[in-house]
Amino acid sequence: MTDSLSTDLSKDTAQCPCGSSLEYARCCQPLHRGEVAATPEALMRSRYSAFVGGQADYLLATWHPSTRPGELSLEQSPEWVSLTILDSSEAGDTGQVHFMAVHRLGDGWGYLEERSEFVREQGRWLYVTGDTSEGQLKPGRNDRCPCGSGKKYKACCL
């Protein structure tokens, strides 16, 4: 299990769960406290960190009103372990982020891959919707561990 799985986001020196390699206090925490995300990718990373940290209020606040649910419970949310941004772009006041988020699935691994749509309104990026696919991840012994440690699977979580 990596440090990102056991990260206590209340510590200023905790590594940000979004995979940026920055400390949470210098990465997603300012956004969670109200700072405006500069790009759709920055918002997506902060939303992932909010899922990891169980911050449903932040997720709702950064969701476009036209698609935002009335309430959001994260009680049944999986144990998210890593985020990989596959592509991101923006053009004017619209943006897209293609990512894969990995989570624990019983004694294995699952993934959520999404192509997310964002819009900027009144200077703030908001999540609108996403086209998702999910599945089971089956890493090989010599593949990088899905937990995000950077180690080979056989030397980490196998």
Side-chain angles (χ1 to χ4, degrees):
M1 201 174 284
T2 69
D3 292 339
S4 66
L5 290 176
S6 58
T7 296
D8 178 357
L9 296 182
S10 66
K11 296 180 181 176
D12 289 339
T13 58
Q15 184 174 355
C16 195
C18 80
S20 68
S21 299
L22 297 173
E23 292 175 348
Y24 174 66
R26 293 183 41 228
C27 190
C28 291
Q29 185 180 48
L31 301 179
H32 292 165
R33 291 186 171 170
E35 193 173 297
V36 175
T39 64
E41 181 177 331
L43 181 61
M44 182 67 248
R45 288 182 177 279
S46 72
R47 286 176 57 82
Y48 172 82
S49 292
F51 272 105
V52 171
Q55 299 172 2
D57 290 344
Y58 178 78
L59 294 165
L60 290 170
T62 58
W63 210 316
H64 195 273
S66 68
T67 57
R68 177 176 47 220
E71 59 184 50
L72 180 64
S73 172
L74 299 179
E75 289 179 21
Q76 300 300 317
S77 187
E79 180 186 349
W80 297 105
V81 296
S82 66
L83 174 70
T84 303
I85 303 295
L86 302 171
D87 189 34
S88 66
S89 63
E90 63 181 275
D93 289 332
T94 63
Q96 297 80 34
V97 179
H98 180 198
F99 69 90
M100 182 173 5
V102 175
H103 60 88
R104 289 208 178 269
L105 183 64
D107 60 354
W109 305 96
Y111 70 87
L112 169 74
E113 186 172 345
E114 180 172 310
R115 294 178 188 274
S116 303
E117 300 291 327
F118 296 84
V119 65
R120 183 170 38 203
E121 291 184 353
Q122 300 176 349
R124 297 185 77 86
W125 286 104
L126 297 168
Y127 170 78
V128 179
T129 190
D131 181 23
T132 63
S133 62
E134 297 182 57
Q136 188 173 4
L137 196 61
K138 297 183 181 183
R141 292 176 48 79
N142 289 316
D143 291 341
R144 290 177 53 134
C145 191
C147 75
S149 68
K151 297 178 185 177
K152 287 185 178 183
Y153 184 51
K154 67 183 179 185
C156 192
C157 292
L158 180 62

